[in-house]
Each structure stands twice: as structure tokens, then as C-alpha cells.
Amino acid sequence: MIKKEMIAMLLAGGQGSRLGILTSKVAKPAVSFGGKYRIIDFPLSNCINSGVDIVGVLTQYQPLRLNTHIGIGIPWDLDRNIGGVTVLPPYEKSGNSEWYTGTSNAIYQNIDYMEMFNPDYVLILSGDHIYKMDYEVMLDFHKANNADVTIAAMPVPYEEAKRFGIVITDENRKITEFEEKPENPRSNLASMGIYIFNWKTLKESLIVKSEQPALDFGKHIIPYCHKNGARIFAYEYNGYWKDVGTLNSYWEANMELIDIIPEFNLYEEYWKIYTKSEALPPQYVSRDSVVEKSIIGAGTNVYGKIYNSVIGCGVTIGSRSVIRDSIIMNEAVIGEDCELNKAIVAENAVIGNYVKLGVGEEAENETDPNIYAHGITTVGENTVIPDGIIIGKNSIVSGRTEAADYENGMLVGGKTLIKAGDKR
Amino acid sequence: MRAIGLILAGGNSYRMRELSQKRAVAAMPVAGSYRSIDFALSNMSNSHISRVGVLTQYNARSLNEHLSSSKWWDFGRKQGGLFVFTPTVTIENNFWYRGTADAIFQNLSFLKNSHEPYVVIVSGDGIYKMDYNKVLEYHIEKKADITIVCKDIAENEEAERYGIVKLNKDSKIEEFEEKPMIAKSNTISCGIYVIRRRQLIELIEKCAEEDRFDFVRDVLIRYKNLKKIYAYKLNDYWSNIASVEDYFRTNMDFLKPEVRDYFFRQYPDVYSKVDDLPPAKYNVGSNVMNSLISSGSIINGTVEDSVIFKKVFVGNNCEIKNSIILNDVYIGDNTHIENCIVESRDTIRANSYYKGDGEIKIVLEKNERYVF
């Protein structure tokens, strides 16, 4: 018989639409982060570092890159004889088949998977947070409190608390009330979307609430448990935690890695972050290059100047090009004499010579002003930008563009240029 | 598959000076992120040779650590695999490997239990890319008994350091001399051999009967007029690490764009054990010129014309010039290093000064390191 104390279920099916074109072809957890990682590496590494060696990864939106990245889990040592990592996509059933309609619905549809391991506890994680956490310590807390549900929560400044789901606890950290995005928060403990459930509690509530459309943890399951008198506790977490759900928070979290001693330190021996990495050669920095306050992935060739930037693996930066405050993902090619300011260039993009990104005044983006803001210029994956093009702030370019697609060789600030049918 | 592989990785070279104290030459770190044996292993894997034996002897700790899993080179298959043979005491034998032929003899069962008709024997310290199938096809076409991969070297390259061969018009080897006083040709042996498995077993057994132990001297040279030994010419990059100077030059070769392009961008890839290291980090004050920097390194100072291996920390105001810094070295602030090879895991105190004059200086510094 198989018996596991705790298994993890990792929600990785969301599109993450607030990351705009970065997630047009990949699920958010598969978006690159910090030069060589992908966002899902952080919860997966946390799992194995915490001794959780059974992880079900729920996928739905654009899973190809996620699937190839996870494979059989070798990078995280999750290739196990029993369990390990399993990718769980939605599937057809003899009765009514449906997509995963909500976070809890996705878990509900995989009750059989969890049952296989006969767990006492189930850890629910989401695939879009950057943090290091020992889930075993959280489990100890859960057990010590004889809890039915434990929610990880972190203190946030009161003025920001209204953006979060807030938990109100008694002196023993037992949760008495929930407030979703409160106007006048009574507590500053924000839920991090990380839960430990007693398996019995979880299974029972999932089955009872199964008819609920778009079944969700925050909206339905937790309130249901609370109403039925379940013991719900808040596990306070005080380390680095970043939700990289928006383009701006994604950019900020990347930039925080380049501080002298970053709050989120990838260089510690303890609690390593693992990722699928091929054996890549070292990076080459040419005689005329300048690299300052940046991190650069393996196999990259630098001939230009890089300041305050995060550069992925296998990237080429042409001679005399100047890259500032930017994120350049794996295998992108930047031509010669370019100028990039606060740009995000996604994987495999090819930028010609004499191209300028992020110049001029900031203007509101015409299509999604809420997503493309803060002066970030975004270039989608596999995009081609021809020589000499100038692109303004808060603009987006995606697809294999040609000179004719630009008016006078320019895309002014706030404009969106998405070329359809950019299949290669 | 038509061939099995044997990699001779037991050797040591006094010409590697202090660098050989810690490890066999086959385990020497090369080109920032690799070990020299990675090239032979990757060539085997890329040539679809799936059953490979590695013969180790001299200080194999570092090598064994590197070979702890065969998955990096994709040998972890149900058919084939990576086999490491270190000398052991047996009922018949309590010797170390007394030579390359003896090493093969002591593991003859590996050859006998295989079913592949050919064996590719290579040394573990060559830096090159090669499809061994091409040599094998040539070997079959020539109806050769043994094929040796050879290379023509330039006049100024001291052919006397290598095995020298002299060929007839048909590329058949007529003369073979190991490290002669005066080289009679500029064609050298690259230490890569193709031979029929049964032929090899026969020759090795005969060697053992006669108490002969060296593959080059007692098989190749001794049988050169008796067996049909052919040369296969290699025209691409090839370098072997036999001395500190070779080692230094080979690493510096990777600063050349054409060498990097050949090894790193062109098919097929070279594989190595993957360390889970973060991207290299450049802080304010870093000034890197014409250098290779590997993952996990943190650079605060000046690095020029150098190869920096993995997990190296370069402190503020440091100047590293024309040097090789091996894995996991900590270099304190205001340090000057020029024309040096800094041994792995060294800890160099702040305000140090090292400069190689006339020859490459090898820096060994085992100071206390304070980990933050």
C-alpha cells in the first residue's frame, strides 16, 4: 500500500492574462524569470526542499512549454518510483466532461489522483509566486494546532491590505473572519494562496460543493469549511514573497535580483532553486562591453553595454547596443547599435540593428492600459523587429513584423502592434 | 549499435605540475563549464555509442564525482550504459593498472561480454568534437585492423610531444614512434583508435601473456608491420591536455569566436554534469573584457582576457588578467592576478598579488573562508 503524509497539488492552469503578451503562448508558470528560471521552479523547488515528493501539477492553458519543462521531474529530483511529479490536464469523462472551471474544481476533478497516495494532508500551491518556504514547518504548525485547514499568510502594509484577501485571527492564530479586499482592513495578514488541508476535510468539502460553478478555494471551499466550524489557522510567513501576476510586479521582482545582496538570494547554498537547464557553455563578454548591476544566463554573448538588467541564457547582445533596466529572455537576439530602456523582450525574439525600445514620453496603452503601464515596452516571443525601428513606452510588439508595419519607422508610445498569424 | 567505447582516463601527467595533485587529467575543468572527459563522453553519446567503459586509476575522486550519474550524457539507458572501472584486487590479480593495455586486460570481461563488433578507444583528455562513426566507416572501407585518428600539426608545434606516425600514400601507417627525440613527420596520433572487438581481445591477451602493458608501445608500435594500421585524418579543432601550457592555451582558445562557435553553437552539443547554479552576477564596479564567465559567479572587479569557471567570487577592485580561475574560488578585494591558473576551491585573501613571469603561475591558496 502507498501511504504519504502530505502531497502537493500545484495549480498551474491559469493564463495569467495580466502578464499580457508574455502569456499569449505559454501558461504563466512557464514564463521565464530571473535569467534562467521559470516561475514554476520556485514552488517545485520548495516542494522537494521541504521533502514533499509527490506533486500533481494541474495544467490547462497553453501547456506545451510547461509540460516540456517539467518532463518527468528530473531537475527537481521528482522522478520517483512512487509519485514524483505528475502533470494533470483536464480529461474527458463518460458523463459530463468539462474544463477546469475553477481552482477547487481542478482539484475536485483529480480526487482519484490524490486518493492513490492515501494522504493525511494535501498542500495546495499556486504556480505564480516567487518565494522560498519550508512547507514542512507549515505542516508542523498545522499539526500542532490540530487544524483542519491552515492558510499561509503574510503581513502587508495596512495601506496595501485592501488589495488582498485578509484574515482576522485570534491570539492563537485561529482564523475568526475573512475579508476580501476590505476598504478598512482590521488586520494586515494577507492570504498567500497556500493551503494545507486535512485530506478528509478537503475531500468532503469538494464533493459537497462540487455542483458550484467555477468552484474556487477563496470564494467557496474556505468559506464552506469556515461555516461548518472547521479549525482554520493562519501560518504567518515573514520571508520574501512576490506575486508576479502583473507585468509591473514581474518586472520589479526581476530587478530585485540584481541588488548587491538581494532580499531574495539565489546564491545561497541552502534552499537551492532548481530548473531544467541544459549543459550550457559559459557566457562571453567582449572587450568593448560593459556589464554593471546585472545577472546574465549561461551561453550568452555580450558585445554591448548592459546596465541594471536581467538577461537569460543563450542571448546575443550586439556591439554598441545599450540595454538598461530591461529583461531579456532566453535565446533572444539584440542587434547592433540598439537602445533598450525598461523593455521586456520575450524568448527567441529577434531585434534588428539600430532599434530603439522605450523612448519618448509615456503614453497610455491603447488596448490594455491596465496591463501595459509603468513605461514598460514589451516584445512578445518569436517577435521580429526590423532594423531602425523606434518604439515608444507602454507599447507592445508581437509577431514577425516588417518595416511596412510601422508608420515612418516608428511605433509611438502606447501603441499596440500584434501581427496575427505569426506561426513559424 | 556497432561499437562500444573505452575511455582511458587513468592517467596523470607530471607536466601538469600542481594541477595534477587533485585530480586525473580527464577531470580537469575546461572552458568554464566542462571537464575534459565531457568531450569524449559527448562524442560517444553523439555517435550513438551507448555502452561506454571508463578506465580510471590516478586520483579518481573528482572524476568519479563527475561521473556519479550517467544521465548527463544520456547513457542511462536499458541497453548500454556508463561503466567505470577502477583497479580492484581479484583472485587472479592484485596489481594496479600497469599500463593502458593492462587496464583493458584487467577488464577484459567488459569486452568479452559485449556483442558489438567494434571498439572505439579514446583518451579522456582530448578536447575535440568527432563523429566516431565516420572513423568506423573508414576503418571498414580500408579493411584495416586498427585505425588511428591522426592530425597534421604546424611545424612550430613541437611534434616531439606526441606519438608520431608516418603514412604511405594510402594512409597506411608505416612508422609509429612515441615521443621521439626528432620527429620524422608532422602527423601525430590523437589517441583515438578503432579496432574490431575480437581483434582487440586477442592482442590484449597476447600482450598480457608476454607481460607487456602499454597499448601504444606494445600493441600499436609492436604490430605496426604485422597488422594493417590506417590513419584517419582529423581536420577540425583538436587539443589535448598534457601540460600546464597546453591546458592554459586550450582554455584561452575558447576566447576565440570561431572556437566558441564550433563547440557551442554548431551541432552537436557538448554535454556536462549540470550544476544548479544561478546566473552570473555583475555588480557595480565590474569591468569584464574579452572573458568567459560561468554560472554562479559574482563579479565585482576587473576581468580581462580570462576564463572564469563556476561559482567564482571576484572582490572589489580586483584585477584579473590573462588568467584562469577554476571552480569555486573566492578572491578577496584589491587582489591582482596575472598570468596565473588559480586552483579550484582556493580562497585568496584581500590585497594579494600574483603574477606569472615567463611561465604560467599556479596559485594554491587554502585560507580559511568565511561564508556569509
Side-chain angles (χ1 to χ4, degrees):
Chain A
M1 194 188 86
I2 298 172
K3 169 81 193 140
K4 278 282 169 182
E5 188 179 32
M6 181 157 79
I7 64 169
M9 298 295 274
L10 175 50
L11 298 158
Q15 176 183 356
S17 55
R18 288 172 305 153
L19 283 180
I21 49 168
L22 296 186
T23 55
S24 64
K25 282 179 205 136
V26 290
K28 178 157 74 170
V31 170
S32 6
F33 182 84
K36 69 178 290 195
Y37 305 96
R38 298 192 185 276
I39 295 169
I40 198 169
D41 292 334
F42 297 88
L44 281 178
S45 301
N46 285 338
C47 279
I48 195 66
N49 289 338
S50 306
V52 177
D53 61 5
I54 294 184
V55 186
V57 180
L58 299 129
T59 62
Q60 174 157 290
Y61 176 79
Q62 289 281 18
L64 175 64
R65 189 159 313 151
L66 199 52
N67 290 344
T68 49
H69 183 67
I70 294 170
I72 57 165
I74 288 175
W76 307 273
D77 244 352
L78 285 168
D79 52 324
R80 297 290 166 130
N81 287 342
I82 293 168
V85 69
T86 309
V87 176
L88 302 167
Y91 54 94
E92 197 174 14
K93 301 161 198 72
S94 58
N96 62 323
S97 299
E98 57 176 357
W99 293 98
Y100 294 153
T101 58
T103 52
S104 299
N105 177 266
I107 305 291
Y108 168 72
Q109 293 195 38
N110 288 288
I111 283 185
D112 289 348
Y113 171 79
M114 295 182 284
E115 201 101 77
M116 279 199 314
F117 302 106
N118 217 342
D120 295 329
Y121 308 100
V122 177
L123 171 68
I124 308 285
L125 302 169
S126 60
D128 46 9
H129 300 152
I130 307 296
Y131 64 111
K132 296 179 185 175
M133 185 194 262
D134 192 340
Y135 303 131
E136 209 173 3
V137 176
M138 181 170 167
L139 180 61
D140 290 343
F141 175 88
H142 180 86
K143 287 194 267 189
N145 286 305
N146 200 13
D148 296 309
V149 185
T150 297
I151 302 176
M154 63 182 292
V156 293
Y158 269 96
E159 50 274 23
E160 280 182 39
K162 57 174 173 286
R163 295 197 296 118
F164 293 92
I166 295 296
V167 296
I168 294 151
T169 66
D170 65 14
E171 69 280 3
N172 298 319
R173 290 280 176 225
K174 186 168 184 291
I175 296 177
T176 53
E177 256 180 276
F178 293 91
E179 284 182 331
E180 192 59 27
K181 300 189 174 131
E183 209 41 60
N184 298 305
R186 285 186 286 150
S187 138
N188 68 338
L189 272 185
S191 164
M192 299 160 65
I194 299 165
Y195 312 103
I196 291 178
F197 279 89
N198 285 356
W199 170 231
K200 279 204 187 78
T201 311
L202 178 65
K203 189 177 168 188
E204 188 257 347
S205 55
L206 286 174
I207 291 170
V208 170
K209 298 292 285 181
S210 62
E211 296 302 315
Q212 171 73 41
L215 189 62
D216 182 88
F217 278 103
K219 290 197 192 86
H220 310 114
I221 295 295
I222 300 285
Y224 170 81
C225 294
H226 187 53
K227 202 180 76 197
N228 284 324
R231 289 171 61 80
I232 308 182
F233 280 77
Y235 170 72
E236 190 176 321
Y237 172 79
N238 286 302
Y240 180 93
W241 180 85
K242 193 96 181 179
D243 179 350
V244 287
T246 68
L247 211 51
N248 193 49
S249 64
Y250 171 80
W251 182 85
E252 276 176 9
N254 271 283
M255 290 302 140
E256 281 164 7
L257 295 173
I258 62 180
D259 290 340
I260 283 275
I261 296 171
E263 199 184 337
F264 189 76
N265 198 341
L266 295 166
Y267 294 80
E268 291 164 337
E269 272 303 302
Y270 178 69
W271 214 267
K272 268 193 177 183
I273 303 299
Y274 304 96
T275 187
K276 182 179 182 225
S277 53
E278 289 112 65
L280 284 170
Q283 54 201 253
Y284 175 75
V285 180
S286 82
R287 189 167 301 281
D288 305 317
S289 303
V290 177
V291 185
E292 233 182 54
K293 221 179 162 220
S294 298
I295 58 174
I296 301 184
T300 287
N301 283 305
V302 181
Y303 297 95
K305 299 178 163 67
I306 302 175
Y307 304 93
N308 299 326
S309 295
V310 174
I311 314 289
C313 300
V315 172
T316 304
I317 311 282
S319 297
R320 298 173 299 279
S321 286
V322 181
I323 317 289
R324 273 179 210 279
D325 307 323
S326 297
I327 299 166
I328 298 181
M329 300 187 198
N330 295 352
E331 305 293 335
V333 177
I334 314 290
E336 298 179 351
D337 299 285
C338 292
E339 195 187 313
L340 275 68
N341 292 306
K342 209 173 179 182
I344 299 177
V345 178
E347 295 175 48
N348 296 309
V350 178
I351 294 180
N353 302 329
Y354 302 99
V355 172
K356 288 183 179 168
L357 295 183
V359 293
E361 288 298 303
E362 224 178 283
E364 194 170 80
N365 183 266
E366 57 179 2
T367 40
D368 288 295
N370 296 325
I371 298 176
Y372 306 104
H374 305 278
I376 299 172
T377 307
T378 315
V379 177
E381 63 178 78
N382 298 324
T383 295
V384 176
I385 299 179
D387 290 354
I389 299 296
I390 295 170
I391 294 169
K393 290 180 173 149
N394 293 340
S395 296
I396 357 167
V397 184
S398 178
R400 298 171 75 80
T401 66
E402 290 154 24
D405 298 321
Y406 299 87
E407 231 173 273
N408 304 323
M410 264 188 83
L411 189 70
V412 292
K415 287 281 179 196
T416 298
L417 172 58
I418 296 180
K419 224 176 158 187
D422 54 350
K423 283 240 184 318
R424 294 220 274 185
Chain B
M1 188 50 228
R2 289 182 299 173
I4 57 169
L6 272 183
I7 299 178
L8 307 173
N12 172 31
S13 168
Y14 69 94
R15 287 188 296 152
M16 289 299 284
R17 309 202 316 246
E18 298 92 322
L19 292 175
S20 68
Q21 287 172 8
K22 263 170 87 156
R23 54 179 99 68
V25 178
M28 278 307 292
V30 175
S33 315
Y34 303 89
R35 302 271 179 165
S36 41
I37 198 170
D38 287 333
F39 294 84
L41 287 168
S42 301
N43 288 337
M44 292 280 178
S45 181
N46 290 327
S47 305
H48 309 292
I49 296 175
S50 54
R51 191 173 153 83
V52 176
V54 180
L55 299 160
T56 69
Q57 171 156 292
Y58 178 81
N59 202 350
R61 186 204 57 80
S62 181
L63 190 58
N64 285 338
E65 196 179 306
H66 189 64
L67 302 177
S68 62
S69 170
S70 62
K71 66 182 167 191
W72 313 117
W73 305 274
D74 210 13
F75 288 124
R77 302 291 122 199
K78 289 199 171 177
Q79 297 283 331
L82 185 68
F83 302 81
V84 180
F85 300 115
T86 315
T88 52
V89 174
T90 66
I91 209 116
E92 299 103 27
N93 182 0
N94 54 9
F95 292 111
W96 292 92
Y97 297 153
R98 286 162 291 179
T100 43
D102 189 41
I104 299 172
F105 178 74
Q106 289 195 31
N107 296 288
L108 211 55
S109 59
F110 176 70
L111 293 180
K112 287 184 165 169
N113 297 341
S114 302
H115 55 80
E116 290 83 347
Y118 295 97
V119 185
V120 177
I121 306 174
V122 307
S123 71
D125 52 16
I127 310 300
Y128 62 103
K129 285 214 274 196
M130 182 171 224
D131 183 352
Y132 298 131
N133 286 312
K134 295 215 171 108
V135 191
L136 187 54
E137 278 157 28
Y138 174 89
H139 178 83
I140 294 166
E141 183 199 310
K142 289 283 183 191
K143 299 194 171 62
D145 291 313
I146 303 172
T147 299
I148 303 178
V149 176
C150 296
K151 185 176 172 64
D152 292 337
I153 58 167
E155 296 292 329
N156 57 0
E157 274 188 78
E158 289 182 49
E160 293 78 13
R161 299 186 295 136
Y162 302 99
I164 306 290
V165 295
K166 211 168 166 197
L167 315 178
N168 71 6
K169 278 198 197 97
D170 189 34
S171 291
K172 188 166 178 283
I173 291 176
E174 295 191 318
E175 281 191 56
F176 192 132
E177 283 185 288
E178 183 69 353
K179 302 186 181 91
M181 293 300 283
I182 295 161
K184 289 181 193 148
S185 94
N186 66 335
T187 306
I188 60 161
S189 158
C190 297
I192 303 163
Y193 318 105
V194 171
I195 180 167
R196 210 155 43 77
R197 184 171 55 88
R198 292 196 178 284
Q199 174 89 80
L200 179 65
I201 292 169
E202 198 184 297
L203 290 170
I204 292 288
E205 279 181 333
K206 215 175 271 174
C207 261
E209 270 171 35
E210 297 168 353
D211 273 346
R212 295 174 183 275
F213 306 120
D214 189 67
F215 186 73
V216 172
R217 195 180 59 229
D218 301 325
V219 177
L220 299 178
I221 296 179
R222 194 166 146 83
Y223 285 88
K224 67 176 186 281
N225 300 320
L226 211 59
K227 298 283 178 190
K228 283 185 284 179
I229 306 184
Y230 277 85
Y232 175 93
K233 282 280 177 70
L234 172 70
N235 297 317
D236 294 312
Y237 185 95
W238 177 87
S239 171
N240 104 315
I241 296 172
S243 67
V244 169
E245 290 68 32
D246 287 338
Y247 178 69
F248 190 82
R249 182 180 40 74
T250 303
N251 277 292
M252 289 302 173
D253 277 347
F254 282 86
L255 292 178
K256 298 176 190 159
E258 67 276 11
V259 174
R260 277 205 315 282
D261 186 68
Y262 175 66
F263 278 101
F264 301 153
R265 293 261 156 178
Q266 287 177 30
Y267 178 84
D269 286 341
V270 182
Y271 315 108
S272 186
K273 183 180 172 187
V274 174
D275 293 317
D276 293 280
L277 293 171
K281 188 156 182 270
Y282 298 75
N283 289 327
V284 173
S286 78
N287 179 16
V288 179
M289 288 171 283
N290 189 38
S291 297
L292 286 171
I293 312 283
S294 306
S295 294
S297 290
I298 300 179
I299 313 291
N300 293 293
T302 299
V303 178
E304 192 176 353
D305 303 322
S306 297
V307 179
I308 308 288
F309 282 69
K310 300 185 216 181
K311 269 182 82 178
V312 171
F313 180 89
V314 177
N316 293 316
N317 291 320
C318 283
E319 275 195 321
I320 317 289
K321 282 184 180 167
N322 196 39
S323 294
I324 293 170
I325 316 290
L326 297 184
N327 295 313
D328 195 14
V329 168
Y330 180 93
I331 301 173
D333 296 349
N334 312 315
T335 292
H336 182 97
I337 296 176
E338 192 170 348
N339 308 332
C340 292
I341 297 173
V342 178
E343 179 59 297
S344 60
R345 278 169 260 290
D346 269 12
T347 302
I348 292 178
R349 290 207 177 102
N351 310 311
S352 305
Y353 186 92
Y354 300 94
K355 186 174 177 191
D357 279 316
E359 68 164 8
I360 305 302
K361 185 182 173 75
I362 295 173
V363 180
L364 303 168
E365 281 291 350
K366 301 288 160 214
N367 295 311
E368 198 73 31
R369 187 181 307 187
Y370 303 99
V371 183
F372 339 97

